[in-house]
Amino acid sequence: MISMLGFSCTVLITWEAALILFLSGLLNGGPAGIIYGFIVVWIGNLSVFSTLSELVSMAPTSGGQYHWVSMLAPASSAKLLSYITGWLTIGGWQGAVASGGYFTGTLFQGLIALTKPEYNPKGWHGTLLYWAVIFFAVFINTVVSKLLPKFEGTVLFLHILGFIVILVPLVVLAPHGKASDVFSVWNNGGGWPTQGLSFFVGLIGNVFAFVGADGAFHMSEEIHNPSVVVPRSIMLSILINGTLGFAMTIALLFCIGDLETVLATKTGYPFMEVFLQATHSVAGAATMAALVTILALSATVGLLASTSRMFWSFARDRGLPGWRTLQKVDPRSKVPLWSIAVTTLIACLLALINIGSAVAFNNVVSISVSGLYTSYLICVCLLLYRRVTGGISEASAISVGLTDSPVLVNTKNTSLIWGPWHISGIIGVLNNIFSCIYLTTILFFSFWPPATPVAPETMNYSSLATGGIIIFGLAYYVVLGRHEWDGPIIEI
């Protein structure tokens, strides 16, 4: 339970992401928008993942979303719908790996700029550091893969300790702003027609701070009693990370100091300048920023692990080109080396975009939000359909696997039964409906550019990337996939 909780918390790294990404909300929404937006996103994620946890409790598999779609969707559409869901999930996770590598690599670049003011950051520097981060994640996931659970447990400790180590000097040493400047000041830096529209566009920074919460789903086949352990670890990680992230967000906004200087920082990350203004020490600010960077590096390890397991699972079910190779598991390390290799190769190729344009790169990898949120939305809508039509029944403890039974009860074309994690009655229905509304709203605004007027270099291309994945998946389905894919394969 501790290692899985550590995995869930460190993939999320919400308080660290709140520092890294707060500029997005500052542009659209302002301080008040960041605060209230965080609350909206936190509540939304609690709703979404309590709903998805019902599904992982019913069917704990590495396939996650596409398996659940296969078992929930009507027989006439289950095959194609689950296939597209699989592609969207893989696209979302691949974008998350690329984002993790980019943010961590450029955090290292920011540290150099913080300690060496004469340093002139270049795009290709960030790309090289990005590759170094990805290869470190590969090393942990392959060479020392047996130590991954202990690694995640250690990082959980560092994740919580680091929060205290950064929050205390920030709050004690930095000048404090007025409460009215934090809770009442709004900003529409994107030039949108209304402040409300600007607020919703600015939500995406907070949304990204919670991306990766489903990582534990794709590790379900590597732990004991996943029907209970995975939902508990995910919900507890969202509660812990949300609390820490909210506290850090408020502290940062109260201690932001000279805003113009903060936004003009050469580091690329305003929070580093806030640390510098608070401590009046380059060494102190660098130490605090280095801790955030180390935790971002650790999160990338977890992102690569989840993505490779998703690749492996989809290949095992014959959903990917080259599935015969990608489904192989190394007999010595018991990890899917080929899936890790492909995940790494794609991430490294995507990094080349950053050399030309960091904006273009970030827009492409923002599919981590659109891809994953689309897969979530398909799942929760189908669960709501089954819920209100009475398509899922209660079951005894033995039949849902509370005794660590290896038998997977809920599969396609079977009578569905609830797992041990279940929100029953009208509360469950209302929660399910709210999760559908929240996901639809966030998905809609995830395709919007950050500002107007829109230029080619500031356009949000995540809609193009998402559409490209769907089109490629459909094309492969028509040519080969429909002959090889028949939904998740259940091994008896």
Side-chain angles (χ1 to χ4, degrees):
M1 174 68 180
I2 294 298
S3 63
M4 185 52 62
L5 177 61
F7 180 86
S8 298
C9 282
T10 53
V11 167
L12 274 178
I13 61 163
T14 302
W15 72 260
E16 298 91 332
L19 293 173
I20 296 168
L21 299 165
F22 93 108
L23 186 60
S24 171
L26 205 59
L27 174 68
N28 285 297
I34 293 176
I35 295 290
Y36 303 125
F38 190 98
I39 295 172
V40 169
V41 171
W42 189 11
I43 292 172
N45 274 273
L46 285 170
S47 174
V48 168
F49 284 98
S50 61
T51 304
L52 293 177
S53 288
E54 293 183 283
L55 290 172
V56 76
S57 188
M58 291 170 64
T61 75
S62 296
Q65 291 94 304
Y66 74 79
H67 181 104
W68 305 330
V69 169
S70 178
M71 76 182 191
L72 292 170
S76 59
S77 59
K79 181 177 177 179
L80 179 58
L81 199 55
S82 62
Y83 185 75
I84 294 302
T85 302
W87 275 98
L88 287 167
T89 306
I90 279 183
W93 272 104
Q94 187 66 63
V97 171
S99 297
Y102 171 80
F103 285 126
T104 309
T106 51
L107 280 169
F108 278 113
Q109 200 173 14
L111 276 170
I112 297 172
L114 178 65
T115 55
K116 299 289 184 181
E118 68 276 11
Y119 171 63
N120 185 24
K122 301 291 184 182
W124 63 271
H125 298 170
T127 295
L128 290 176
L129 289 166
Y130 170 118
W131 285 342
V133 168
I134 294 296
F135 288 132
F136 173 81
V138 171
F139 174 79
I140 298 296
N141 275 278
T142 55
V143 180
V144 293
S145 58
K146 291 182 179 179
L147 298 178
L148 186 59
K150 293 182 179 179
F151 175 82
E152 298 297 350
T154 302
V155 174
L156 173 60
F157 173 76
L158 187 61
H159 174 65
I160 296 175
L161 179 64
F163 169 80
I164 299 171
V165 168
I166 287 178
L167 186 71
V168 171
L170 180 63
V171 171
V172 171
L173 299 176
H176 295 172
K178 295 183 294 185
S180 59
D181 293 336
V182 173
F183 295 101
S184 304
V185 174
W186 298 80
N187 185 43
N188 184 2
W192 298 103
T194 66
Q195 182 61 62
L197 190 56
S198 176
F199 168 76
F200 280 104
V201 172
L203 278 179
I204 303 305
N206 280 323
V207 168
F208 200 86
F210 284 91
V211 163
D214 65 316
F217 295 159
H218 309 296
M219 307 295 287
S220 294
E221 295 179 34
E222 301 180 36
I223 62 174
H224 295 292
N225 199 14
S227 291
V228 174
V229 172
V230 173
R232 286 179 180 174
S233 65
I234 285 178
M235 295 309 298
L236 191 54
S237 70
I238 293 176
L239 286 170
I240 293 173
N241 275 277
T243 302
L244 300 183
F246 188 61
M248 186 62 73
T249 297
I250 292 177
L252 184 68
L253 291 172
F254 266 103
C255 303
I256 201 168
D258 184 355
L259 183 58
E260 290 187 5
T261 303
V262 167
L263 295 179
T265 178
K266 283 184 63 178
T267 65
Y269 289 98
F271 77 88
M272 293 187 183
E273 184 64 32
V274 175
F275 290 171
L276 183 60
Q277 290 187 20
T279 61
H280 299 288
S281 166
V282 172
T287 301
M288 294 166 70
L291 184 54
V292 175
T293 305
I294 290 170
L295 288 165
L297 177 64
S298 302
T300 306
V301 173
L303 290 170
L304 182 68
S306 287
T307 306
S308 63
R309 290 343 184 252
M310 184 62 207
F311 263 89
W312 167 77
S313 181
F314 203 36
R316 177 188 59 180
D317 294 328
R318 305 176 183 179
L320 290 173
W323 59 267
R324 291 178 178 84
T325 299
L326 291 175
Q327 69 172 334
K328 293 180 180 178
V329 176
D330 180 63
R332 183 187 64 83
S333 61
K334 306 299 182 184
V335 297
L337 293 180
W338 282 103
S339 292
I340 291 174
V342 171
T343 301
T344 302
L345 177 62
I346 295 173
C348 288
L349 290 175
L350 285 172
L352 296 174
I353 301 174
N354 182 54
I355 297 176
S357 170
V359 174
F361 172 82
N362 281 304
N363 283 331
V364 170
V365 299
S366 61
I367 191 177
S368 55
V369 173
S370 59
L372 289 175
Y373 269 55
T374 304
S375 71
Y376 300 161
L377 181 60
I378 295 171
C379 291
V380 299
C381 286
L382 288 172
L383 179 61
L384 181 61
Y385 160 72
R386 288 286 190 177
R387 203 173 211 133
V388 298
T389 57
I392 309 175
S393 58
E394 300 290 342
S396 67
I398 294 177
S399 65
V400 296
L402 285 177
T403 57
D404 290 342
S405 168
V407 177
L408 185 61
V409 177
N410 291 302
T411 62
K412 60 181 179 180
N413 301 323
T414 62
S415 298
L416 302 179
I417 57 175
W418 291 110
W421 175 276
H422 171 44
I423 305 174
S424 59
I426 188 63
I427 304 253
V429 174
L430 293 175
N431 182 59
N432 204 154
I433 292 172
F434 179 77
S435 65
C436 291
I437 296 171
Y438 170 77
L439 287 169
T440 302
T441 303
I442 297 301
L443 185 60
F444 176 71
F445 283 102
S446 72
F447 297 123
W448 285 53
T452 57
V454 181
E457 60 271 16
T458 60
M459 177 61 186
N460 185 342
Y461 293 100
S462 61
S463 57
L464 179 62
T466 306
I469 287 178
I470 294 174
I471 291 171
F472 181 84
L474 287 172
Y476 181 75
Y477 181 84
V478 171
V479 176
L480 287 175
R482 61 194 173 96
H483 303 297
E484 299 176 334
W485 170 262
D486 193 33
I489 297 173
I490 307 302
E491 298 177 356
I492 301 176

